[in-house]
C-alpha cells in the first residue's frame, strides 16, 4: 500500500501539471480578490513614498550640513499631511512638520520635536508669525526623511504571477491604488455524496436507518478559503447507473470531482466501478488511519475528449473524509489553482510531549485526534481525545490538532516527543 507521503507526492505532481487554471483568467475588484491567484504582474504606477516625507512630528530644517546641538532656526510655516508648505526654505529657516507631511524644498533634515526646545516655547509662541526654535541634540543630514521611491519605485514589479493574494498583498495593492486585479479563474469543484441512507440537513429523517449527509457541508467549509467555486451534486443513491450519470455530468461541468463514500469493497459500493468506466483509478488505498480507502484518479469528459478532470474519492466516514481532504485534496487544489511553489500554504507541524502512552500497530500512519497546549516558552504538551475510532466525529470537534503517529511506530510512551498538526481554524 502506498504511503501518505508517496501519495501526496503523486497527487501534488499530477495537480501541478494539470494546473490549467492559468489558461483562463477573470478580473476581480480588489476586495473580492483575497485568496485568489494573481494572473498578471503588478507594476507600480508611482513611487512610494510619492515625495520626500517626514517620519516624525518636529521641524524640517533648511540646512545643507549636519548640525550641532545648539543651532537655532526661524520657523516660517507649517507642512501637514495632505497640506504641504509651498515655498523654498532657506538656510537657517525651518518649517513645523508632522508625520507623513511633505518635506519642503530646501530641507534636508527633519528633527523630532523632542530634540528641540519646543516644549519650552510652544506655550508662548504665536503660530501666525514666525518664531525661533533651538536644537537640544545634534542632528544629521537626511534624518527622519522617508525619501521618494525608497520603498517602491515607479515601474517596479511588486507582485508576480502565481501569488496567492493575502491581506498584506491587498494592503500593498490598495496603497498603489489598484482597484481591480486579473486572477486565475476559480476552479469548479463538484461535490457528490453517495449512499442510500443519506438525507440532507434541513429535511426530516424518514426512518431510523437514515442519517444526515454531513460530508458535503464539511467539505464545503473545509474548502471555503480556496479560490474555487463549489458545485453541489447532492446525494446519489447506491446505484451504478445513477452514479455514472451524475459523475458524467460533473466531469463535463467541473475541473475537479470529489465524492464521499462508496469506495470500499461492499456490494453497494459503486464508486470504484463508476471511475473504472468513466476514467482511470491511478491510486487506491493509502497506508493511513483513518481514511485508508482513498481513491485518486482521472475522469474523461465524453462530450469533450480534450478534457481530463482529477477525481478524489473520499471514504464515507466523516472523520476519514476530513483527514483525506486536509492531507490530499486541499494541497492539490492549491497547486491546480496555479499558486507558485514558493507561495503554497504550508501545513504547520509542531513537536509535542505526550501526556500518556499511545498504543499503535505498525503499518499505517495515524492521525489521532488530540488537544495540545503550548506554554509561554513555546513547548507543547498533547493528549489524545478518548478512544480513537474513524467514525467518531464528536472527537474531532473536541480536538485542536491531529497527533501524527509514524507508520512504522508500534506505540509511544508518556513523555515521548510526537508530531502534531494544529487545526488551521484554531490559529490566527
Ligand atoms: P461507505 O464508505 O459508503 O461504506 O460509508 C462509510 C460510513 O460513512 C457509513 O457508516 C456511512 O453511513 C457513512 N457516511 C457515508 N456518507 C456519509 C455522509 N455524506 N455523511 C455522513 N456519513 C456518511
Ligand atoms: Mg455507503
Amino acid at each position: 500500500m502506498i504511503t501518505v507521503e508517496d501519495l501526496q507526492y503523486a497527487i501534488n505532481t499530477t495537480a501541478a501539471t494539470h494546473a490549467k487554471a492559468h489558461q483562463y483568467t477573470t478580473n476581480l475588484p480588489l476586495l473580492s480578490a483575497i485568496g485568489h491567484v494573481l494572473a498578471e504582474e503588478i507594476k507600480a504606477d508611482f513611487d512610494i513614498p510619492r515625495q520626500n516625507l517626514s517620519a516624525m512630528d518636529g521641524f524640517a530644517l533648511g540646512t545643507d550640513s549636519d548640525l550641532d546641538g545648539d543651532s537655532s532656526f526661524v520657523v516660517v510655516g507649517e507642512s501637514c499631511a495632505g497640506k504641504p508648505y509651498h515655498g523654498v526654505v532657506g538656510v537657517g529657516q525651518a518649517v513645523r512638520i508632522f508625520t507623513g507631511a511633505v518635506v519642503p524644498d530646501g530641507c534636508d533634515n527633519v528633527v523630532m520635536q523632542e530634540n528641540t526646545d519646543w516644549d519650552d516655547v510652544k506655550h508662548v509662541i504665536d503660530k501666525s508669525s514666525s518664531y525661533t526654535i533651538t536644537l537640544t541634540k545634534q542632528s544629521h543630514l537626511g534624518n527622519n526623511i522617508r525619501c521618494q521611491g525608497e520603498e517602491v519605485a515607479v515601474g517596479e514589479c511588486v507582485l508576480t504571477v502565481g501569488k496567492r493574494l493575502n491581506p498584506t498583498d491587498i494592503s500593498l495593492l490598495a496603497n498603489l491604488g489598484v482597484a481591480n486585479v486579473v486572477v486565475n479563474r476559480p476552479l469548479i469543484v463538484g461535490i457528490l455524496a453517495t449512499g442510500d441512507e443519506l438525507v440532507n440537513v434541513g429535511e426530516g429523517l424518514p426512518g431510523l436507518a437514515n442519517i444526515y449527509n454531513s460530508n458535503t457541508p464539511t467539505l464545503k467549509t473545509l474548502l471555503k478559503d480556496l479560490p474555487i467555486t463549489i458545485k453541489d451534486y447532492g446525494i446519489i443513491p447506491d446505484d451504478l447507473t445513477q452514479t455514472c450519470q451524475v459523475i458524467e455530468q460533473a466531469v463535463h461541468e467541473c475541473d475537479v470531482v470529489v465524492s464521499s463514500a462508496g469506495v470500499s469493497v461492499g456490494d453497494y459500493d459503486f464508486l470504484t466501478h463508476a471511475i473504472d468506466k468513466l476514467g482511470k483509478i491511478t491510486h487506491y488505498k493509502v497506508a493511513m488511519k483513518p481514511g485508508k480507502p482513498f481513491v485518486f484518479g482521472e475522469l474523461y469528459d465524453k462530450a469533450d475528449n480534450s478534457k481530463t478532470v482529477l477525481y478524489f474519492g473520499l471514504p464515507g466516514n466523516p472523520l476519514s473524509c476530513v483527514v483525506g481532504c486536509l492531507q490530499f485534496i486541499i494541497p492539490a487544489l492549491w497547486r491546480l489553482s496555479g499558486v507558485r511553489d514558493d507561495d503554497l500554504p504550508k501545513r504547520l507541524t509542531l513537536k509535542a510531549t505526550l501526556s500518556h502512552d499511545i498504543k499503535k500497530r505498525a503499518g499505517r500512519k495515524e492521525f489521532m485526534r488530540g488537544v495540545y497546549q503550548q506554554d509561554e516558552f513555546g513547548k507543547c504538551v498533547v493528549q489524545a481525545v478518548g478512544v480513537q475510532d474513524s467514525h467518531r466525529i464528536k472527537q474531532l470537534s473536541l480536538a485542536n490538532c491531529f497527533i501524527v503517529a509514524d507508520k512504522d511506530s508500534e506505540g509511544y510512551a508518556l513523555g515521548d516527543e510526537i508530531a502534531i498538526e494544529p487545526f488551521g481554524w484554531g490559529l490566527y
Side-chain angles (χ1 to χ4, degrees):
M1 213 185 313
I2 190 167
T3 63
V4 170
E5 292 73 16
D6 286 350
L7 183 57
Q8 281 168 335
Y9 181 80
I11 290 176
N12 289 340
T13 39
T14 309
T17 54
H18 272 73
K20 294 188 265 203
H22 297 296
Q23 294 167 9
Y24 308 98
T25 58
T26 182
N27 195 311
L28 292 181
L30 184 61
L31 275 185
S32 312
I34 182 75
H36 286 263
V37 182
L38 205 56
E40 62 171 6
E41 218 176 50
I42 305 284
K43 287 188 174 162
D45 283 344
F46 50 80
D47 290 326
I48 293 184
R50 296 182 66 200
Q51 290 178 279
N52 291 347
L53 301 181
S54 175
M56 289 288 172
D57 293 327
F59 298 90
L61 307 177
T63 172
D64 48 14
S65 58
D66 293 346
L67 296 164
D68 291 335
D70 55 359
S71 313
S72 289
F73 288 83
V74 178
V75 181
V76 294
E78 199 173 73
S79 180
C80 320
K83 286 188 218 126
Y85 174 79
H86 297 289
V88 180
V89 179
V91 173
Q93 295 183 326
V95 160
R96 176 85 174 122
I97 199 164
F98 303 97
T99 305
V102 176
V103 177
D105 285 347
C107 296
D108 295 316
N109 189 338
V110 168
V111 60
M112 59 198 277
Q113 66 193 44
E114 291 86 339
N115 291 349
T116 69
D117 61 355
W118 171 248
D119 274 344
D120 302 329
V121 300
K122 68 181 176 195
H123 307 292
V124 295
I125 56 153
D126 168 12
K127 275 176 81 176
S128 61
S129 57
S130 55
Y131 55 91
T132 300
I133 52 124
T134 303
L135 305 195
T136 54
K137 251 193 182 170
Q138 257 197 337
S139 187
H140 300 287
L141 275 184
N143 261 7
N144 303 317
I145 295 177
R146 300 175 184 155
C147 291
Q148 178 178 348
E150 77 175 16
E151 212 201 334
V152 177
V154 59
E156 185 182 324
C157 173
V158 292
L159 291 174
T160 54
V161 172
K163 183 78 181 64
R164 188 173 48 101
L165 295 173
N166 67 41
T168 60
D169 298 324
I170 300 294
S171 168
L172 176 61
L173 293 172
N175 273 289
L176 287 166
V178 177
N180 287 278
V181 285
V182 180
V183 297
N184 290 339
R185 168 179 71 67
L187 295 169
I188 304 171
V189 178
I191 297 184
L192 294 67
T194 71
D196 285 341
E197 72 279 36
L198 301 178
V199 172
N200 280 322
V201 175
E203 293 167 18
L205 291 171
L208 274 178
N210 293 108
I211 61 166
Y212 282 115
N213 166 18
S214 70
N215 288 343
T216 302
T218 305
L219 291 171
K220 283 182 177 174
T221 47
L222 285 174
L223 300 177
K224 80 172 186 1
D225 290 335
L226 281 101
I228 62 171
T229 303
I230 289 177
K231 236 172 138 46
D232 182 354
Y233 289 89
I235 297 167
I236 322 302
D238 289 321
D239 172 90
L240 182 59
T241 311
Q242 289 187 60
T243 304
C244 286
Q245 270 168 7
V246 178
I247 292 180
E248 250 183 78
Q249 188 194 341
V251 170
H252 188 58
E253 295 172 345
C254 303
D255 301 297
V256 177
V257 174
V258 177
S259 70
S260 69
V263 288
S264 300
V265 292
D267 295 353
Y268 298 95
D269 289 329
F270 292 111
L271 264 293
T272 52
H273 306 296
I275 307 310
D276 277 336
K277 272 174 172 278
L278 304 171
K280 183 172 80 181
I281 294 177
T282 53
H283 296 84
Y284 179 44
K285 292 193 177 166
V286 52
M288 74 175 192
K289 191 178 171 186
K292 181 171 78 168
F294 184 89
V295 186
F296 177 55
E298 23 183 74
L299 295 164
Y300 312 121
D301 186 355
K302 283 191 176 165
D304 170 4
N305 61 14
S306 68
K307 186 176 177 191
T308 300
V309 160
L310 294 192
Y311 168 75
F312 299 92
L314 290 160
N317 274 319
L319 181 53
S320 309
C321 194
V322 171
V323 175
C325 181
L326 293 176
Q327 293 299 319
F328 304 113
I329 299 180
I330 290 177
L333 290 177
W334 281 121
R335 284 164 176 84
L336 272 176
S337 301
V339 180
R340 256 181 9 220
D341 278 358
D342 64 352
D343 198 37
L344 286 165
K346 289 160 190 68
R347 178 174 292 124
L348 178 63
T349 305
L350 302 173
K351 288 275 176 209
T353 305
L354 269 172
S355 62
H356 51 80
D357 297 348
I358 282 185
K359 285 196 190 124
K360 177 186 178 296
R361 259 195 243 150
R364 288 200 269 165
K365 183 171 185 173
E366 285 195 31
F367 294 90
M368 299 171 177
R369 281 63 68 202
V371 175
Y372 79 97
Q373 282 177 3
Q374 194 168 30
D375 68 17
E376 74 255 47
F377 307 108
K379 203 170 153 26
C380 296
V381 174
V382 71
Q383 179 176 12
V385 184
V387 179
Q388 303 281 317
D389 205 339
S390 60
H391 63 275
R392 295 188 182 231
I393 194 69
K394 193 179 86 180
Q395 280 189 346
L396 198 52
S397 160
L398 293 172
N400 64 5
C401 69
F402 283 122
I403 302 174
V404 186
D406 283 344
K407 172 175 145 304
D408 298 322
S409 151
E410 293 184 331
Y412 294 83
L414 183 155
D416 279 356
E417 273 217 324
I418 194 161
I420 59 167
E421 290 181 1
F423 296 154
W425 45 92
L427 306 170
Y428 64 89

